[in-house]
Amino acid sequence: MAGAQDYPPPNVRRLRIYSFDPALAAQYDLAGTSGVTIEVPWEDDLKPGPVGEYVEVIDVDPGSNAGYTPVDLNSPALLATDGLAPSESDPRFHQQMCYAVAMKTIEHFERALGRKALWSSHRHQSEDKRYHENYVPRLRIYPHALRQQNAFYSPTKKALLFGYFPTRAKDGRNIPGTTVFTCLSHDIIAHETTHALLDGVHPRFNEPVNEDVLAFHEAFADIVALFQHFSYPGVLRDQIARTRGNLARQSVLGQLAQQFALASGRGDALRSYLGKEENGEWKPVKPNPALLDQTSEPHDRGAILVAAVFGAFTKVYQARTRDLFRIATEGTGVLREGDIHPDLVNRLAEEAQRCSERALQMCIRAIDYCPPVGITFGAYLRAIVTADYDMYPVDRENWRLAFIESFREWGISPRGTRSMAEDSLLWPTEKDVVEARVKVEVAEERVKEESAEKWVKEAPGAFYGYMDSATKRSRVALTKMFQQAAPAESDEHYSRKASRAAPPRPSSKPAGVLTPTPLSMKRFDIWLDADRQAATFHSWLLDEDWAWLARALGLVVEVGNTKTISAGRDPNRAAIEIHSVRTAMKRGALGFPEPHMVVVVTQRRAGFFDKGKQQEMDETPGAFNELTLDFKYRAGCTLLIDPEKMEIRRVIRTPGTVADDDELDRMRRYLLDGLTPPDAFQGVTGRLADTAEPFAMLHSHAGE
Ligand SMILES: [Zn+2]
């Protein structure tokens, strides 16, 4: 006889949540689908709170000076019943729902990226002006933090703060005076958790250096919440059955997206970009390519990106369900009166769920393929296309085509690309950038009056000979890096994290080589290890062979005549910051996912609003200090490195190098004229990191 302790531990924990929010749950006709039970990863050590490995729900309410009893999800009663039943009046259910949805969002990220999720580090400056980073084990979640119509992620507190407020609206759904809890909306929880997860990967995406950055943060959080929502089995089934033939006209997905916009308090923008109601019937909005140029407010602009991504999803969904309609209608496409067959409902719901999951994975995986600073919608499209290409070289369901077409219909295109064909959207490879660099060198130095193209035409032998030796040079640099052991001392000065001993490498490779972190490694060890790898990588950059390659990668090696570029210990050498080293997934030769490394490299330069002053500071050595600059201009690249083949698979550069005056000026003009709302980021001039709550400002008009 086996005892209870002989059962294997469960893989998942089943928990009940509201499928949208309590207001929708209270609608009589939606009663059957108001709650869903979702599966989240099992945590053995889950403490009352819940407090787990990733998140910590803290239920204190400063408004009423109260603390609520934390829910214990490991108590036998709750294990037996999939947690508490949805309830507005039991704070312990609020805690359970926050925990469940946040964990589901984290799971989607980990599955898409193939690594454990980390929160962004706490950064602080010590007396010697060096930045230090502290590990953040858990995101804090406060379900009842504010008496406001607001909910936001706080990058400084590493916390999600949810508000509650008495509703004033008498809109048929809400009764004036009743309390609305933002922590009971699936979409708001998923949205805020996504902000925190994105911040963990790209802390620089809080710096609004162009009109797309803030809009991207908002749009990305909405995209994840939207597709996560559709990916629950059963959420769509009831709607599909209810609206039968309308499905072909997108109405189910559209209506749900509308409810989503309503429930998540994203305001009118999202709703009106996805579709609107005409004579009681929902009609999808036709994409308008001119809209993007006329829109600058972050939510409105972000809604265009959400609409473009949603458009790609519906294209594939419709293509994939067309056959089902033909079968169901014997080819006519017109359904008969009455309810549609339950089998058809199930198959359609299955397709919608599968498509949502695929779209969600594509959108999340793309964040490893973004430039380190100044994300634009166009660059995000390139990231989606390239990341998906590296994972699924053959695109059987035409997902990439759907994304490209939908983005084009909404007027989103990458700056400087000549075509929207898939192969021109792929980020360049090592070979591409080396070739481009050779052409630049040729134009600059070898034959000043001749173009590289002319040289290729007239003396192909000489050109390709030059090219060959250049390629070999970059090969030598990379091989050196991977084959040599790490430099005896990795750059100690560079290391910013707690000076604890790095964990022993679990791999057989010599220490120091870029090594993917195994999934079994503890999150704290991954965090420490990334710092060690960054320090090692940094010390390689000082090698002469690397210097040549660095230029090809869009980095500036010497300060030269631009004295505002931050220098290293040697005042003539431009400082290079290895912003992060992490593991990502690609598709290997036999079709299995294999890890490769993402190395994020940035450089920084002092910017001045006055052009004359900029020129003066550029020319005078040592004239500026960190306190006098008006803003920080950053540039750099994200490298996807294959440690097995010892090659750089993708090079994702910012539009200009740190020495690029045109790009610096573009940022200056944006900061001076384009930033809306002007008060949300008062600290933008150089000290943005100190600005308290960017997302609080962005979200405060939610639901207005
Ligand atoms: Zn947001």
Side-chain angles (χ1 to χ4, degrees), residues 191-192 195 218 221 266 695 699:
H191 177 104
E192 303 309 337
H195 275 313
E218 287 309 317
R266 293 304 127 201
F695 297 108
H699 287 183

Side-chain angles (χ1 to χ4, degrees), residues 369-580:
Y369 284 71
C370 289
V373 287
I375 182 72
T376 59
F377 294 175
Y380 184 57
L381 174 64
R382 296 190 71 177
I384 291 174
V385 169
T386 316
D388 191 66
Y389 180 91
D390 283 358
M391 200 63 177
Y392 304 102
V394 182
D395 185 13
R396 286 186 219 288
E397 293 178 359
N398 292 317
W399 274 101
R400 297 197 282 274
L401 196 59
F403 269 90
I404 294 168
E405 194 175 87
S406 183
F407 273 57
R408 191 179 48 220
E409 286 166 359
W410 281 101
I412 302 171
S413 64
R415 188 148 62 90
T417 38
R418 272 167 293 183
S419 128
M420 287 284 273
E422 180 183 301
D423 55 350
S424 23
L425 290 175
L426 294 176
W427 290 118
T429 60
E430 179 192 334
K431 186 168 169 288
D432 296 334
V433 298
V434 164
E435 209 170 296
R437 176 67 200 166
V438 169
K439 285 182 180 168
V440 168
E441 283 193 358
V442 167
E444 272 177 2
E445 286 154 38
R446 305 262 312 200
V447 266
K448 286 213 162 55
E449 68 283 9
E450 266 185 272
S451 72
E453 275 73 22
K454 198 174 168 204
W455 200 29
V456 177
K457 230 180 264 167
E458 285 169 7
F463 176 82
Y464 286 110
Y466 187 87
M467 185 73 108
D468 232 31
S469 66
T471 313
K472 279 198 190 108
R473 259 170 106 175
S474 70
R475 225 58 316 274
V476 166
L478 279 168
T479 316
K480 244 190 196 172
M481 182 179 102
F482 282 106
Q483 288 184 339
Q484 277 180 0
E489 263 178 275
S490 70
D491 201 335
E492 276 304 321
H493 180 78
Y494 191 75
S495 190
R496 287 190 307 266
K497 294 178 181 170
S499 61
R500 286 205 225 168
R505 299 298 314 171
S507 150
S508 57
K509 287 195 171 181
V513 175
L514 286 181
T515 325
T517 50
L519 271 172
S520 58
M521 201 187 241
K522 287 204 165 64
R523 287 166 69 235
F524 176 69
D525 290 343
I526 293 172
W527 179 80
L528 263 192
D529 187 60
D531 189 51
R532 190 190 56 75
Q533 299 213 41
T536 312
F537 193 88
H538 190 256
S539 56
W540 270 308
L541 288 171
L542 307 172
D543 187 290
E544 270 318 301
D545 286 312
W546 256 100
W548 188 89
L549 185 62
R551 288 187 193 98
L553 301 176
L555 300 172
V556 169
V557 178
E558 278 106 26
V559 169
N561 295 325
T562 316
K563 308 296 180 202
T564 46
I565 297 176
S566 283
R569 269 166 295 170
D570 174 352
N572 296 315
R573 271 194 107 99
I576 295 177
E577 187 192 352
I578 310 301
H579 191 53
S580 76

Side-chain angles (χ1 to χ4, degrees), residues 10-285:
N11 292 319
V12 294
R13 184 187 299 273
R14 292 165 55 85
L15 290 171
R16 286 184 278 178
I17 60 168
Y18 283 116
S19 55
F20 278 96
D21 62 22
L24 281 171
Q27 285 182 32
Y28 183 76
D29 63 336
L30 290 174
T33 54
S34 61
V36 283
T37 304
I38 64 171
E39 293 180 342
V40 300
W42 175 263
E43 295 190 277
D44 265 332
D45 285 340
L46 193 66
K47 305 262 171 4
V51 179
E53 191 192 338
Y54 292 82
V55 301
E56 178 175 8
V57 179
I58 302 170
D59 206 356
V60 289
D61 180 353
S64 60
N65 211 5
Y68 303 110
T69 314
V71 66
D72 181 6
L73 295 178
N74 274 350
S75 80
L78 296 188
L79 285 174
T81 54
D82 300 340
L84 292 160
S87 157
E88 279 183 272
S89 56
D90 186 347
R92 293 172 307 168
F93 173 75
H94 300 202
Q95 300 153 11
Q96 167 183 314
M97 177 146 173
C98 286
Y99 170 78
V101 177
M103 287 302 288
K104 194 75 201 168
T105 316
I106 294 165
E107 187 194 357
H108 278 299
F109 265 71
E110 295 196 331
R111 207 187 301 154
L113 297 173
R115 62 167 179 267
K116 286 185 179 167
L118 298 177
W119 309 113
S120 68
S121 306
H122 271 302
R123 274 167 69 86
H124 59 92
Q125 214 171 3
S126 60
E127 281 170 17
D128 62 351
K129 296 285 170 226
R130 280 179 60 195
Y131 276 102
H132 296 271
E133 296 189 3
N134 285 338
Y135 178 63
V136 176
R138 282 180 286 271
L139 179 72
R140 292 182 167 169
I141 300 177
Y142 296 88
H144 307 105
L146 318 153
R147 286 199 176 184
Q148 285 172 27
Q149 194 170 348
N150 199 2
F152 62 91
Y153 162 60
S154 161
T156 47
K157 295 193 181 81
K158 315 291 175 196
L160 308 185
L161 307 177
F162 292 94
Y164 62 95
F165 56 95
T167 173
R168 281 162 305 201
K170 195 172 184 180
D171 56 8
R173 264 184 55 187
N174 295 301
I175 308 237
T178 54
T179 306
V180 175
F181 295 98
T182 58
C183 71
L184 290 181
S185 158
H186 168 276
D187 303 325
I188 295 180
I189 305 169
H191 177 104
E192 303 309 337
T193 310
T194 304
H195 275 313
L197 285 161
L198 181 60
D199 191 42
V201 179
H202 286 290
R204 297 258 187 265
F205 282 12
N206 287 350
E207 298 182 5
V209 299
N210 67 46
E211 64 280 11
D212 279 355
V213 176
L214 295 180
F216 176 78
H217 232 295
E218 287 309 317
F220 184 73
D222 271 347
I223 289 165
V224 171
L226 182 68
F227 287 132
Q228 174 162 316
H229 205 153
F230 288 1
S231 71
Y232 297 133
V235 166
L236 292 168
R237 208 176 290 139
D238 172 73
Q239 292 286 313
I240 285 170
R242 198 182 294 268
T243 48
R244 44 188 304 282
N246 283 351
L247 196 68
R249 298 200 299 271
Q250 299 184 344
S251 77
V252 169
L253 298 174
Q255 275 174 1
L256 278 185
Q258 271 188 300
Q259 286 179 2
F260 162 82
L262 202 69
S264 64
R266 293 304 127 201
D268 283 324
L270 185 57
R271 268 173 285 166
S272 57
Y273 289 170
L274 292 173
K276 51 175 163 269
E277 225 145 301
E278 269 172 37
N279 307 324
E281 202 180 328
W282 188 84
K283 295 246 169 65
V285 154

Side-chain angles (χ1 to χ4, degrees), residues 293-358:
D293 287 339
Q294 306 155 9
T295 313
S296 61
E297 197 279 323
H299 283 98
D300 292 350
R301 212 174 154 83
I304 296 176
L305 180 60
V306 181
V309 169
F310 190 72
F313 161 76
T314 22
K315 274 178 207 291
V316 178
Y317 171 75
Q318 283 183 324
R320 300 227 11 114
T321 52
R322 210 162 282 145
D323 59 343
L324 295 173
F325 276 95
R326 279 197 299 269
I327 296 168
T329 60
E330 288 167 351
T332 64
V334 182
L335 289 162
R336 278 176 297 170
E337 289 292 308
D339 290 343
I340 60 175
H341 198 286
D343 288 351
L344 181 60
V345 172
N346 285 337
R347 284 287 296 109
L348 291 172
E350 221 173 79
E351 281 299 337
Q353 187 202 343
R354 216 183 54 84
C355 287
S356 319
E357 270 174 18
R358 176 73 202 275

